[in-house]
Amino acid sequence: MSKQADIIISEHEANEGSFRNYVSGFVLSIFLTLGAYLMVVHHSFSADKIVAAIVGLALCQFLVQMLFFLHLGKETKPRWKLFVLLFMIVIVLILVFGSIWIMNNLNYRMTPEQINTYLNNQGGGF
Amino acid sequence: MDYFAGVLGKLNTHVFPTDKVTLGAAISIILGGLLALAFLTYTKRWKWLWKEWLTSVDPKRIGVMYIIVGLLMLLRGLVDALMMRAQQATSVGTSHGVVSVSTFQQLFSAHGTIMIFFMAMGLMFGLINLVVPMMIGSRDVAFPFMNLTSFWLFAAGMILINLSLGIGQFSAAGWLAYPPLSELRFSPGVGVDYWIWSLQIAGIGSLLSGINFFVTIIKMRCRGMNLMKMPLFVWSVLCTNLLIMFAFPILTVTLTLLFLDRTMGMHFFTSGFGGNPMMYVNLIWAWGHPEVYILILPAFGIYSEVVATFSRKRLFGYTSMVWALAAITILSFSVWLHHFFTMGAGADVNGFFGIMTMVIAIPTGVKIFNWLATMFRGRIHFASPMYWFMGFVGLFTVGGVAGVVMSVPPADFQLHNSLFLVAHFHTMIVGGVVFGYLAGITYWFPKIFGFRLNERLGKWSFWCWFIGFLLAFIPLYILGLMGATRRIDHYSASLGWQPLFIVSAIGAAIIAVGVGIFILQIIVSIFKRKDNIDYTGDPWNGRTLEWSIPSPAPSYNFAIEPVVSSRDPFWESKHLSKDVQPEVPHYKSITMPKNSSIAPIIGALSVAFGFGMIWHVWWLTIISLVAVIVSIIIRLSDDNTDYVIPASQVEKIELSYKEKRALAPKEKYA
Amino acid sequence: MSEAANPAISLEKSNADQTKNAKTLFGFWVYIMTDCVLFASLFATYAVLHRNTFGGPSGETLFSLPNVLAETLMLLTSSFTCGLGILAARAKHKNKVLFWFLVTFVLGAGFLFLELTEFRHLVITGNSWRRSGFLSAFFTLVGTHGLHISIGLLWLAVLLAKITSKGLSKNNLRQLTLFSIFWHFLDIIWIFIFTIVYLMGALGK
């Protein structure tokens, strides 16, 4: 009975963060946001490299906000919230990148010219 | 007239059906409904119905309501099927069969939609509600109010799809409504909108249920029941809920995008302005493939319980069964392209998904072998649930192999959208899903109602289903290989297909007899219930916790929360003296959730919302949406949602069950 | 023996409350995960359709980055003030709670205002959701996020009203926690919209 109570109480604590957590998360997020923004606005290197950089920065900010705002690291075992989060991430990656791969591949049997003609001749709108 | 045009949206006097078939169907449903209402009034049961059933948050009650709706929808879908078989058996050469082209198109669209979303999902959620809390030693689900709301959202979707029979028309775009056919230009009527909204509303109910039962299983298992001690049915439901939670949002989005195309002039799937109809196919099957695993996994769980109980033997290979479920769960998100091999992807994409499709057959095979190994050297008792299992084993294996044939993309290029495909998926759904759910209903019926179903009628029903299925679908496998496509309402006589279609129609009629006998079984068993009373709560010599409580189960399930230390805890307690309940019970008062009238109100408002969206009656939409939000706010502000059953009353109830047990005849198991 | 007088029953009741908290918090987290899949479907659709401008302007021309930066910083700050509000709630400071969540509300409303202004400008200049697949996908993805923000603001308003009248009861505290999870998650989704839709759009990708 008391073991159950301990589990309940520590689950409750798992949701708590400290003032330091929130401030760190906030400051880090500002830097990550401004960093990405400035990179794009100044366009100092090639577009592809910038894309890789801003995606990386976005993933970092995702992690920062998960840890500092949503207190993901503080969950006690069994880590069910983490499990569903990871499962969701796997599904999302499959869905998004799978869809992009599939939909691009549907032009497999068309030449670039044919694709262009198709895209430019879209009348109607039904 | 103009003034009213705004108020009533697209509604006018021409929305009622004019062709005899649809009119006949609508009138029968209305008459049936009126009969039910008259019966309720005559027997003065309105208050009883409202208090004991419609507002009850007891998952056992909610489960029965789901099953009743599911069985009703089975009847509706069956009638659609019979008409299709009649059409295809007679519409050859100069004859044009029994229904018009547009009716036929609505028939196959309604048949698929109703069977998947309302029959199969209904029976599934019904059995999950009935059994899971008891199996994990819990008194309730995690979120009882949300559970009832989910049922009412499901019912609202069912009501909308049936309204389409009498007001307006249903979709003629198939059960998945591919664009551009389902876009406004080619489906200007309200049919596709009925399809969108009944599924959208029911889908939200399903998503909420998925979350509910996932949390229930994770957080509300009784003491001692760690994950690897859960019954296999609970494992299968856990995996199913993962699938529901992560697949249904995709459906929600896809239906919304189609709605936005049709109603707000957007261009997601249009054939111009930068739309891409193929993206719809991609998204709908990214949901659709997990959906079929959502349907089958609980059936697999039921078979695990049934086979172990009626072989009087522990399930063989528990750990591998769990891993197989986990593998199927994760793999089911990686095969969806096999539904559109022919859409134009290259060999690498087609090849990848073809291989993944073959891979996912492997864990299923593991399960089949484990069930057979469970039976090996068991003391098998062929009660009617075992009949359903035996029918499943043969049919599902054959149908599954047909699926592996089609997983080879070049083969699929010949077989895609042929009757071979139709035969394959019906084998899986009827042979796998439906047989499993019918077995489950038979198996757990006594726990809910306190008496068993008539065994003889149950077995006759099985034989009609099984033989009828073979006669109905083997011809379709053959026709598919001969080049017959699906959804055809007429074909030329020179093809020589008619004899096979006639055999198929006869098979369908035999299935209909099987359905009739199943319903008859329920009615006869109710009238003759005194002959089949379940005195002890354990009519089948069961293994899991639900058999340790009386039948019919009390609202709180367990007077004393059980503590388990092994798998098959009830079996162990019966045969190895590892008790799940203490010898001298010390009863405490029990807190249970109160009924909720807000849930059915939300259901009714959802019907109004959907109807308004379909017919563009915007004031109705806005008012009902606001009312739903207000209802939710009212419910969330309610601090007084529980009631207490005092210990003395618990003791009285348990004592009355003890007295009933004492009446049991010596020889227990049939 | 009355329930209130018996300490064993009160302990059971407080255990029951904490179990209810644990279940509800976990259940809500799980719902948030499903909402992520919803957004993922919209992102997938946007990814597939974003080049389909049907001869019209692309994001490169249409997006105003300074506006987007303002929105982003507002939403991020509101996520931060939401966190401060939760800390105040743990410490049971009712007035601080009301203050920080009011700031959160104002910042959220400001975000919504900027977004609606952007939408309005696009519609007026003939670039509504009816123009192309790209714009349909853009309005739906960003609009769904905005709809979630609106629902969040409605929820917060109702919550603040309840706290003003009934104080920091158990139910209200639980709802505040749920709201904060929802609000933080909306900011996280925005990170991806900001990066993938606006920044990558501005680069012509």
Side-chain angles (χ1 to χ4, degrees):
Chain A
M1 180 66 151
S2 66
K3 187 165 185 235
Q4 269 198 336
D6 284 336
I7 294 171
I8 292 165
I9 292 169
S10 56
E11 272 201 59
H12 193 65
E13 275 169 359
N15 293 312
E16 288 182 27
S18 64
F19 181 69
R20 234 178 335 129
N21 275 341
Y22 284 113
V23 172
S24 326
F26 182 51
V27 168
L28 278 169
S29 298
I30 298 234
F31 277 120
L32 292 166
T33 306
L34 288 176
Y37 180 80
L38 291 170
M39 259 193 246
V40 170
V41 164
H42 289 311
H43 214 310
S44 8
F45 32 103
S46 83
D48 282 327
K49 291 211 186 77
I50 299 182
V51 167
I54 60 177
V55 168
L57 289 174
L59 291 173
C60 284
Q61 200 181 150
F62 167 70
L63 230 72
V64 161
Q65 293 208 18
M66 274 284 156
L67 290 171
F68 290 113
F69 288 176
L70 286 170
H71 320 302
L72 197 64
K74 294 222 171 86
E75 195 182 10
T76 54
K77 282 194 183 180
R79 289 194 238 269
W80 281 111
K81 281 168 139 184
L82 185 63
F83 171 75
V84 254
L85 177 76
L86 293 174
F87 194 92
M88 180 273 290
I89 290 177
V90 168
I91 302 302
V92 163
L93 292 174
I94 294 176
L95 178 65
V96 173
F97 290 106
S99 297
I100 294 175
W101 184 40
I102 291 171
M103 297 309 290
N104 269 336
N105 200 276
L106 291 174
N107 299 324
Y108 185 81
R109 295 173 202 280
M110 294 173 81
T111 66
E113 267 163 39
Q114 289 171 320
I115 297 174
N116 249 331
T117 320
Y118 167 69
L119 282 178
N120 288 328
N121 277 351
Q122 286 198 332
F126 43 86
Chain B
M1 207 42 223
D2 242 37
Y3 174 72
F4 285 106
V7 172
L8 289 176
K10 287 159 76 171
L11 286 166
N12 55 54
T13 45
H14 301 294
V15 299
F16 302 107
T18 45
D19 75 287
K20 283 180 290 221
V21 174
T22 319
L23 199 56
I27 292 179
S28 334
I29 292 186
I30 294 176
L31 281 178
L34 287 174
L35 215 70
L37 295 179
F39 176 74
L40 281 172
T41 315
Y42 180 71
T43 53
K44 294 201 174 63
R45 287 191 134 159
W46 280 105
K47 208 163 176 200
W48 166 85
L49 187 70
W50 182 256
K51 258 190 73 187
E52 296 295 320
W53 290 94
L54 303 183
T55 57
S56 166
V57 293
D58 182 348
K60 298 184 288 297
R61 298 273 158 115
I62 295 176
V64 171
M65 291 197 285
Y66 266 115
I67 291 178
I68 291 176
V69 172
L71 289 176
L72 282 173
M73 290 292 101
L74 173 66
L75 291 176
R76 165 110 200 243
L78 177 72
V79 170
D80 289 336
L82 290 171
M83 288 201 281
M84 284 192 283
R85 285 281 128 259
Q87 173 72 10
Q88 291 190 322
T90 54
S91 175
V92 200
T94 46
S95 158
H96 281 273
V98 297
V99 294
S100 68
V101 178
S102 89
T103 303
F104 186 77
Q105 291 170 336
Q106 286 179 59
L107 279 178
F108 64 67
S109 309
H111 170 78
T113 309
I114 286 175
M115 287 303 207
I116 301 247
F117 287 96
F118 297 101
M119 184 277 286
M121 297 290 278
L123 294 184
M124 180 189 87
F125 279 125
L127 287 166
I128 292 178
N129 265 285
L130 284 186
V131 177
V132 167
M134 288 192 274
M135 254 191 184
I136 60 174
S138 165
R139 291 194 170 126
D140 207 333
V141 298
F143 308 112
F145 167 74
M146 197 165 80
N147 197 21
L148 184 62
T149 308
S150 288
F151 168 74
W152 281 111
L153 291 173
F154 166 79
M158 182 273 289
I159 290 173
L160 277 173
I161 206 174
N162 281 298
L163 275 178
S164 73
L165 203 52
I167 307 179
Q169 73 256 79
F170 191 62
S171 162
W175 81 278
L176 280 182
Y178 281 9
L181 178 59
S182 55
E183 292 278 0
L184 207 56
R185 159 129 172 201
F186 295 109
S187 291
V190 292
V192 174
D193 299 303
Y194 265 113
W195 181 84
I196 289 176
W197 286 104
S198 64
L199 296 194
Q200 189 76 292
I201 294 172
I204 293 176
S206 299
L207 180 62
L208 295 176
S209 273
I211 297 174
N212 209 341
F213 281 95
F214 185 76
V215 176
T216 303
I217 295 174
I218 298 290
K219 293 281 180 196
M220 293 178 76
R221 281 167 282 139
C222 65
R223 260 227 317 257
M225 189 181 279
N226 60 36
L227 285 178
M228 292 307 269
K229 294 204 178 73
M230 298 196 304
L232 248 304
F233 181 64
V234 179
W235 264 113
S236 70
V237 173
L238 185 69
C239 294
T240 302
N241 285 319
L242 270 173
L243 288 174
I244 292 175
M245 294 192 299
F246 293 120
F248 268 79
I250 305 174
L251 178 71
T252 307
V253 165
T254 314
L255 292 175
T256 305
L257 300 184
L258 184 64
F259 161 75
L260 289 173
D261 270 6
R262 287 175 62 86
T263 315
M264 292 198 43
M266 296 212 191
H267 292 290
F268 289 102
F269 312 123
T270 53
S271 282
F273 280 80
N276 192 339
M278 297 187 287
M279 185 56 179
Y280 178 93
V281 175
N282 176 58
L283 283 175
I284 204 80
W285 280 114
W287 163 80
H289 194 82
E291 164 69 5
V292 307
Y293 284 96
I294 289 168
L295 296 181
I296 195 66
L297 289 189
F300 284 170
I302 294 173
Y303 293 128
S304 290
E305 301 301 327
V306 163
V307 171
T309 299
F310 291 109
S311 304
R312 313 238 221 261
K313 208 169 145 245
R314 211 173 53 187
L315 183 73
F316 186 88
Y318 179 97
T319 309
S320 62
M321 289 295 245
V322 171
W323 280 109
L325 280 172
I328 294 173
T329 304
I330 193 71
L331 285 171
S332 69
F333 279 102
S334 69
V335 298
W336 78 93
L337 185 127
H338 71 228
H339 298 275
F340 49 94
F341 278 135
T342 57
M343 199 159 79
D348 49 352
V349 170
N350 276 355
F352 171 77
F353 282 96
I355 293 176
M356 294 310 286
T357 309
M358 293 180 214
V359 168
I360 203 175
I362 298 174
T364 311
V366 166
K367 295 182 85 67
I368 302 251
F369 284 124
N370 278 346
W371 286 315
L372 296 177
T374 308
M375 288 175 74
F376 181 66
R377 299 244 191 131
R379 288 177 347 228
I380 305 176
H381 168 54
F382 279 99
S384 57
M386 274 306 265
Y387 276 58
W388 295 108
F389 169 74
M390 298 303 292
F392 152 76
V393 160
L395 281 180
F396 199 77
T397 308
V398 169
V401 165
V404 177
V405 166
M406 284 188 291
S407 75
V408 180
D412 188 72
F413 268 63
Q414 301 298 313
L415 296 169
H416 177 63
N417 273 352
S418 68
L419 286 179
F420 187 88
L421 169 72
V422 171
H424 158 71
F425 66 67
H426 278 89
T427 312
M428 308 310 264
I429 299 183
V430 175
V433 176
V434 177
F435 279 20
Y437 293 168
L438 294 179
I441 292 174
T442 313
Y443 185 57
W444 281 301
F445 188 93
K447 180 53 56 188
I448 306 299
F449 291 105
F451 58 94
R452 266 178 294 134
L453 288 170
N454 181 297
E455 275 286 288
R456 187 158 14 111
L457 287 175
K459 290 172 182 173
W460 285 358
S461 170
F462 163 76
W463 283 116
C464 289
W465 269 96
F466 185 67
I467 294 173
F469 182 87
L470 292 172
L471 280 176
F473 286 96
I474 290 179
L476 296 191
Y477 278 110
I478 300 171
L479 281 164
L481 290 167
M482 285 164 71
T485 27
R486 68 193 292 194
R487 297 175 176 170
I488 45 178
D489 72 297
H490 178 269
Y491 51 94
S492 90
S494 60
L495 289 163
W497 291 347
Q498 189 176 26
L500 287 167
F501 273 119
I502 293 177
V503 173
S504 181
I506 296 173
I510 297 177
I511 294 180
V513 171
V515 174
I517 297 180
F518 194 84
I519 308 280
L520 187 68
Q521 176 194 37
I522 298 178
I523 298 174
V524 164
S525 306
I526 293 176
F527 276 112
K528 286 183 143 178
R529 58 188 179 277
K530 298 219 168 41
D531 297 339
N532 270 329
I533 292 185
D534 174 18
Y535 290 98
T536 59
D538 180 19
W540 309 113
N541 199 5
R543 311 177 72 85
T544 41
L545 281 178
E546 75 270 28
W547 307 112
S548 71
I549 57 178
S551 303
S555 63
Y556 47 78
N557 294 345
F558 298 91
I560 314 244
E561 280 160 340
V563 178
V564 307
S565 55
S566 63
R567 295 175 193 155
D568 294 343
F570 183 54
W571 181 266
E572 305 260 321
S573 90
K574 280 189 290 186
H575 300 279
L576 297 171
S577 307
K578 284 195 210 156
D579 278 323
V580 293
Q581 305 276 337
E583 259 308 325
V584 181
H586 170 59
Y587 298 116
K588 292 198 263 198
S589 66
I590 297 177
T591 308
M592 295 296 288
K594 278 190 199 164
N595 281 12
S596 160
S597 19
I598 292 195
I601 290 174
I602 290 182
L605 290 170
S606 307
V607 176
F609 175 80
F611 193 80
M613 280 300 221
I614 292 166
W615 290 102
H616 295 195
V617 185
W618 304 123
W619 58 265
L620 183 63
T621 318
I622 295 174
I623 291 182
S624 42
L625 184 62
V626 169
V628 167
I629 295 176
V630 167
S631 310
I632 295 176
I633 294 178
I634 292 177
R635 167 68 194 196
L636 289 178
S637 315
D638 190 349
D639 289 332
N640 188 16
T641 53
D642 293 333
Y643 72 100
V644 178
I645 307 178
S648 52
Q649 195 177 345
V650 176
E651 185 163 11
K652 216 165 39 144
I653 297 174
E654 294 297 306
L655 218 61
S656 71
Y657 281 120
K658 258 214 182 93
E659 288 166 4
K660 184 177 176 187
R661 282 176 89 106
L663 295 172
K666 278 303 164 196
E667 182 232 304
K668 272 203 297 180
Y669 305 117
Chain C
M1 180 162 4
S2 83
E3 291 228 12
N6 186 338
I9 293 181
S10 325
L11 175 66
E12 255 183 51
K13 197 162 188 299
S14 98
N15 275 344
D17 285 335
Q18 293 203 298
T19 320
K20 185 172 179 185
N21 257 3
K23 271 188 301 176
T24 312
L25 283 166
F26 182 61
F28 193 76
W29 175 264
V30 170
Y31 152 72
I32 295 287
M33 297 298 106
T34 69
D35 225 356
C36 290
V37 177
L38 190 120
F39 275 104
S41 312
L42 290 171
F43 272 107
T45 307
Y46 181 81
V48 167
L49 292 180
H50 78 283
R51 293 201 194 283
N52 296 16
T53 56
F54 194 51
S58 72
E60 215 168 342
T61 337
L62 292 174
F63 297 151
S64 149
L65 283 189
N67 195 45
V68 171
L69 183 67
E71 286 174 345
T72 308
L73 292 175
M74 271 183 130
L75 198 61
L76 175 58
T77 311
S78 78
S79 199
F80 175 59
T81 56
C82 176
L84 296 180
I86 288 294
L87 288 175
R90 294 270 147 68
K92 301 276 193 303
H93 275 148
K94 177 173 150 178
N95 286 334
K96 262 195 183 179
V97 168
L98 290 174
F99 173 72
W100 283 119
F101 277 107
L102 209 58
V103 173
T104 305
F105 185 96
V106 167
L107 288 168
F111 168 90
L112 207 59
F113 175 76
L114 286 177
E115 185 162 273
L116 287 171
T117 314
E118 177 195 12
F119 281 6
R120 184 172 171 273
H121 179 253
L122 285 170
V123 172
I124 292 180
T125 52
N127 290 304
S128 79
W129 50 83
R130 307 168 96 97
R131 180 100 170 62
S132 63
F134 156 64
L135 281 162
S136 298
F138 167 79
F139 273 97
T140 305
L141 171 59
V142 181
T144 301
H145 179 266
L147 187 63
H148 278 74
I149 295 276
S150 313
I151 293 173
L153 290 176
L154 173 66
W155 184 9
L156 184 58
V158 171
L159 250 184
L160 290 179
K162 280 204 284 192
I163 292 176
T164 312
S165 66
K166 280 199 197 149
L168 290 172
S169 67
K170 259 187 283 105
N171 270 351
N172 288 344
L173 272 175
R174 187 188 308 126
Q175 287 225 2
L176 268 179
T177 312
L178 295 178
F179 171 81
S180 72
I181 298 176
F182 186 67
W183 200 252
H184 291 311
F185 143 79
L186 284 179
D187 190 45
I188 290 175
I189 299 286
W190 183 258
I191 300 172
F192 291 103
I193 295 183
F194 171 64
T195 309
I196 296 173
V197 174
Y198 288 105
L199 291 186
M200 283 171 64
L203 289 171
K205 286 280 152 197

